Amino acid sequence: MSFNEVDRAQVLAEALPYIQKFSGKTIVVKYGGNAMVSDQLRHAVISDIILLHLVGIQVVVVHGGGPEISEMLKKIGKQSQFVDGLRYTDEETMDVVQQVLCGRVNKNLVATLNRLGGRALGLCGLDGGLFSAKKLEEKYGLVGDITHVDPRPVTDALEKGYIPVVSTVAQGEDAETSYNVNADTAAAKLATALGAEKLILLTDVRGLLRDPKDESTLIPELQLSSVPALVREGVISGGMIPKIDCCVEAVRSGVDSAVILDGRVEHSLLIELLSDAGIGTMLVR
């Protein structure tokens, strides 16, 4: 037996206790960013999700689709506008958001999962009253703050052996409209409502770094109690603040752990979940 074969056997043996630990448990994966744009990474992520599903892990996928929305707005001659990092969403933009997220992006993901041997089912936050929201603030337009999650459409799909793929549009509670909601927040709220074991936010960064310019300064594990000090020190800053906030909220609300994971690394989901070499930043109580 060559070293390579021994190596492979070792990797598989190492995965066994993790498969036993997570089998039958629910894991929510927020999927977006670079891992969604690159074909190679998309196939790696999707094959990881199928493998996790096949070994008995209940995987729920929550996705955004910012680049696709921007591209469609450009096609119709509309400029994307952002306020405090959130997409300003007027009625015309909301129509595009709903068409792109609940339509093209969601169904393409479902089709790819099915093509590669999965059994996926597409849902959006409007289906079965999955996500209800009220307007966040007037300055953002039709951007919603999730007020209620009814996880039954997702649990029904899981019970029937599907991989639910959820797009993040919510039903208005305070108006007859749909709302655009942040995908990280939606994933955290859904993970909480499902009593998930783990929330994984796939993103375009290595995780939380003490020094943003030095990837060797990755903080592999972070306790909730350490977060305020790291915010004060400026270690948690900019776009990392809302991601950490989502993780904190999920863990504080009963999710066992939450991970910020680099979606640019091929098979990062498998490495994080089924090996000793976790590669992201994990938040725990």
Side-chain angles (χ1 to χ4, degrees):
M1 197 186 266
S2 72
F3 173 74
N4 201 25
E5 286 166 331
V6 173
D7 230 27
R8 283 181 191 165
Q10 184 59 45
V11 166
L12 292 170
E14 194 181 294
L16 179 62
Y18 294 100
I19 291 170
Q20 289 168 326
K21 178 185 174 182
F22 292 118
S23 187
K25 302 276 173 52
T26 301
I27 285 170
V28 175
V29 177
K30 186 270 172 168
Y31 175 49
N34 212 49
M36 221 166 171
V37 178
S38 147
D39 280 344
Q40 186 180 347
L41 287 173
R42 189 165 70 245
H43 278 81
V45 169
I46 284 169
S47 61
D48 286 3
I49 289 165
I50 292 167
L51 193 149
L52 294 171
H53 175 73
L54 289 173
V55 297
I57 298 169
Q58 303 209 40
V59 188
V60 178
V61 181
V62 176
H63 69 84
E68 291 88 345
I69 293 165
S70 296
E71 185 191 319
M72 184 58 80
L73 287 170
K74 198 172 165 187
K75 276 183 186 168
I76 64 166
K78 195 170 176 71
Q79 186 73 37
S80 290
Q81 278 179 275
F82 292 89
V83 179
D84 304 337
L86 293 174
R87 183 184 300 278
Y88 176 75
T89 308
D90 58 15
E91 281 187 28
E92 189 180 27
T93 304
M94 189 61 230
D95 284 344
V96 171
V97 167
Q98 193 164 314
Q99 284 167 28
V100 172
L101 285 189
C102 306
R104 193 176 79 195
V105 175
N106 187 271
K107 297 312 166 200
N108 283 352
L109 255 176
V110 166
T112 308
L113 275 158
N114 290 338
R115 200 179 300 119
L116 293 176
R119 197 160 169 260
L121 182 74
L123 293 166
C124 83
L126 306 172
D127 295 324
L130 177 53
F131 294 135
S132 303
K134 59 184 183 189
K135 186 177 277 191
L136 183 58
E137 267 187 68
E138 198 58 54
K139 65 177 177 177
Y140 303 119
L142 298 174
V143 171
D145 181 27
I146 294 174
T147 50
H148 179 68
V149 178
D150 183 343
R152 283 177 296 177
V154 174
T155 52
D156 288 351
L158 288 170
E159 280 164 18
K160 290 182 170 59
Y162 290 103
I163 300 167
V165 179
V166 180
S167 62
T168 54
V169 168
Q171 187 170 309
E173 200 178 75
D174 53 353
E176 280 190 36
T177 184
S178 299
Y179 284 120
N180 184 10
V181 293
N182 177 276
D184 290 341
T185 309
K189 299 257 190 199
L190 182 56
T192 300
L194 290 167
E197 182 78 6
K198 202 179 268 281
L199 166 68
I200 297 176
L201 301 182
L202 277 181
T203 183
D204 290 347
V205 292
R206 186 82 186 0
L208 180 61
L209 306 173
R210 270 197 187 280
D211 175 357
K213 297 182 191 71
D214 184 356
E215 294 210 340
S216 70
T217 64
L218 177 77
I219 300 171
E221 190 169 302
L222 187 58
Q223 292 194 306
L224 295 191
S225 55
S226 319
V227 169
L230 290 174
V231 173
R232 282 195 304 274
E233 290 164 26
V235 174
I236 300 171
S237 62
M240 192 52 83
I241 292 175
K243 288 194 183 299
I244 294 282
D245 283 349
C246 287
C247 293
V248 167
E249 187 195 339
V251 172
R252 201 173 269 150
S253 306
V255 176
D256 196 59
S257 62
V259 183
I260 294 171
L261 191 60
D262 194 345
R264 301 167 302 176
V265 175
E266 256 188 273
H267 300 298
S268 56
L269 276 176
L270 292 188
I271 299 165
E272 177 59 39
L273 282 169
L274 302 184
S275 80
D276 297 336
I279 56 168
T281 295
M282 179 162 72
L283 273 87
V284 292
R285 280 186 206 85

